[in-house]
Amino acid sequence: MQTQSRRSELFPDATDAEWRDWRWQLRHGVRSLEELQRFIPLTEDERRGCEETKNIFRLGISPYYLSLIDPQHPFCPVRMQSIPVRAEAETHSGELRDPLGEDHHRPVRAIVHKYPDRVLLLALDHCSVYCRHCTRRRITSGDEGGISREELQEAIAYLRQHTEVRDVLISGGDPFLLSTARLIELLEALRELKHIEMIRIGTRIPVCLPMRVDDELAKALRRFAPLFVVTHFNHAKEITPDAREACERLVDHGVPVENQAVLMRRLNSSVTAIKDLMQKCLTMRVRPYYLHQMDVAEGLEHLRTPLAAGVEILDGLRGWTTGMAVPHLAVDLPGGGGKVTLQPEYAIARQGRETIFRNYRGEKYAYPEPRETDCTVPYDEVFYTKYNEQPRPRLRILT
Ligand SMILES: *Cc1c(COP(=O)(O)O)cnc(C)c1O
Ligand code: SF4
């Protein structure tokens, strides 16, 4: 493949064994403008982008991810995700350093507890590639400082007290940059808490450093089932034979893999790009989960799409391709409101007991409501003792 030849152009001295060694990849990551210029002919915008963002956010690209960059095209999606441009140094009013208001929900330093039954656990502040669109850069920039072993113990102690938490999403930073032994230690501590029903690990390793996913890691993860890996492919160009091998290795070992993509203006903001990405994910048995609207974060205005663009894209997927290839379009509300989802409007009118829909082709169909509307489940009272429904604000639907 093209990757192979770019690899030998960029790193002619690397042996196969070195290239496949994730620690070699980390040691040889590109971290400065000077190094980067030796590998890729940069545009003026990128060169100045590197200079102007130098004190704002880390530059870091693994040799593997670097080998996927199209050296000719400034709009190469891999390039746009890893090489800064000047716009990244600009901030606009309303943009936030902590766009999701997470710092108001951090009872201890390594935990974000925003939703009733699940938490985010920040395991470390390092990544294999520093994504230009990272909205958790207040942490991944290193400005906050790393997360210590004691702080992780403090997080476990918090979870021990909070028995309402049944789902822990481990993120960071990239948890797969922990040594397998450290990761196992953390997972074992979580598994000792009987109320934790499931674990998710958010990681970009299958995309940016797929050689990290070896048999040892995959086997280790299997022990902690139900454990889901949630990865972050944003463009079909990232779905290489190496990335495929990493994802398939996880799935073959019994670890389900989901994908969260971020919608980015002029990088993947077309029906063509998103449809291809989602379909190719499924060919690796990776299930599309969220498509994220870009957060209102400092320096990312140039990558934000209008809300309508994401809805248009979903409209181009639903019905036109496999339902499993259609992600949820999520907007994480600025200031800490949490995630909500958007979708195209299919119910277009109500006529008496009938709702009028337009389908994916724009044709109209009516759906009649049933006569009986009582939806309480009598057996709930018999079957459930533990779960009570939370009081919620009344849902408003089309009238
Ligand atoms: C996204 C997120 C989660 C997980 O949300 P799901 O909708 O369950 O995937 C949990 N905590 C925080 C703080 C989040 O941002
Ligand atoms: S891998 Fe995730 S946390 Fe790390 S820089 Fe990329 S988006 Fe940010």
Side-chain angles (χ1 to χ4, degrees):
M1 267 207 44
Q2 188 201 357
T3 325
Q4 178 65 37
S5 62
R6 280 296 288 161
R7 169 192 149 183
S8 37
E9 273 168 50
L10 297 175
F11 297 91
D13 300 331
T15 64
D16 277 350
E18 284 172 333
W19 188 260
R20 294 214 55 84
D21 174 357
W22 65 280
R23 296 187 187 276
W24 181 93
Q25 289 275 340
L26 283 183
R27 278 198 303 279
H28 291 79
V30 167
R31 285 193 201 83
S32 67
L33 169 61
E34 294 65 38
E35 286 175 88
L36 186 57
Q37 286 188 127
R38 275 191 260 129
F39 292 109
I40 310 277
L42 297 181
T43 64
E44 181 59 14
D45 191 21
E46 290 168 331
R47 206 184 52 70
R48 295 186 57 185
C50 288
E51 278 167 356
E52 291 175 24
T53 58
K54 201 159 95 185
N55 300 319
I56 300 176
F57 189 40
R58 288 168 173 158
L59 177 70
I61 314 175
S62 65
Y64 164 78
Y65 202 64
L66 190 76
S67 77
L68 306 184
I69 289 180
D70 182 339
Q72 320 297 346
H73 208 305
F75 283 87
C76 163
V78 176
R79 182 168 182 153
M80 288 175 78
Q81 288 181 72
S82 54
I83 302 180
V85 291
R86 291 187 70 198
E88 199 185 308
E90 287 167 23
T91 55
H92 303 267
S93 68
E95 290 174 355
L96 303 164
R97 177 100 182 127
D98 175 22
L100 308 182
E102 292 181 336
D103 293 343
H104 309 299
H105 298 271
R106 283 171 82 177
V108 297
R109 197 160 159 253
I111 293 233
V112 181
H113 192 173
K114 194 189 274 188
Y115 297 101
D117 67 342
R118 56 208 187 280
V119 301
L120 194 65
L121 192 160
L122 305 170
L124 77 172
D125 69 337
H126 284 276
C127 299
S128 56
V129 166
Y130 291 95
C131 310
R132 301 331 302 179
H133 56 277
C134 184
T135 59
R136 212 170 272 134
R137 60 179 59 190
R138 69 189 193 287
I139 295 162
T140 51
S141 64
D143 291 356
E144 265 199 10
I147 289 151
S148 67
R149 203 177 270 263
E150 290 68 39
E151 283 165 330
L152 284 179
Q153 277 161 3
E154 188 186 30
I156 299 291
Y158 176 83
L159 291 174
R160 192 173 294 122
Q161 300 291 315
H162 287 263
T163 52
E164 75 277 19
V165 176
R166 39 164 295 286
D167 172 11
V168 175
L169 174 47
I170 308 175
S171 178
D174 200 315
F176 282 174
L177 287 187
L178 294 172
S179 67
T180 304
R182 279 290 303 277
L183 188 60
I184 289 176
E185 199 180 301
L186 178 61
L187 293 170
E188 278 174 345
L190 288 173
R191 267 287 165 259
E192 270 177 27
L193 309 176
K194 294 301 167 229
H195 55 283
I196 309 290
E197 291 174 3
M198 59 178 275
I199 296 170
R200 292 185 268 181
I201 299 182
T203 173
R204 258 212 123 185
I205 286 287
V207 188
C208 300
L209 193 68
M211 38 294 277
R212 166 67 180 107
V213 183
D214 48 22
D215 277 341
E216 186 202 19
L217 178 67
K219 277 204 190 95
L221 296 176
R222 174 64 182 86
R223 282 175 43 209
F224 299 97
L227 180 153
F228 299 77
V229 166
V230 185
T231 190
H232 179 178
F233 287 94
N234 288 324
H235 195 277
K237 196 163 195 257
E238 297 168 327
I239 301 182
T240 64
D242 290 311
R244 182 177 292 280
E245 193 182 319
C247 294
E248 293 190 335
R249 173 164 290 136
L250 289 167
V251 180
D252 284 346
H253 280 84
V255 181
V257 185
E258 319 280 316
N259 189 62
Q260 304 198 359
V262 179
L263 186 60
M264 285 177 274
R265 198 172 67 87
R266 310 198 78 193
L267 189 156
N268 61 5
S269 52
S270 67
V271 173
T272 307
I274 296 295
K275 186 159 76 180
D276 188 37
L277 171 65
M278 301 302 158
Q279 290 172 341
K280 289 219 168 81
C281 278
L282 285 174
T283 68
M284 307 188 286
R285 288 171 284 161
V286 171
R287 295 184 52 159
Y289 179 37
Y290 281 133
L291 175 62
H292 290 281
Q293 172 71 21
M294 178 62 79
D295 297 334
V296 186
E298 286 174 356
L300 296 179
E301 160 103 3
H302 62 296
L303 292 174
R304 278 207 284 139
T305 52
L307 289 167
V311 175
E312 274 286 300
I313 288 171
L314 285 203
D315 207 37
L317 300 187
R318 172 70 63 203
W320 298 103
T321 190
T322 310
M324 287 167 80
V326 185
H328 303 284
L329 176 60
V331 185
D332 218 329
L333 300 172
K339 292 181 190 69
V340 293
T341 53
L342 276 176
Q343 64 157 349
E345 201 58 77
Y346 293 105
I348 54 177
R350 179 73 76 89
Q351 290 173 358
R353 273 217 330 274
E354 285 191 334
T355 299
I356 311 299
F357 286 92
R358 58 112 185 153
N359 72 358
Y360 67 107
R361 292 185 189 276
E363 300 153 348
K364 289 185 186 163
Y365 290 86
Y367 179 91
E369 295 286 356
R371 259 150 276 263
E372 297 291 351
T373 58
D374 174 9
C375 295
T376 53
V377 179
Y379 204 67
D380 277 358
E381 279 183 30
V382 182
F383 198 73
Y384 297 106
T385 48
K386 181 174 164 200
Y387 297 117
N388 294 311
E389 285 211 28
Q390 310 242 354
R392 281 182 291 124
R394 259 187 81 76
L395 181 68
R396 275 226 303 274
I397 54 165
L398 186 82
T399 46

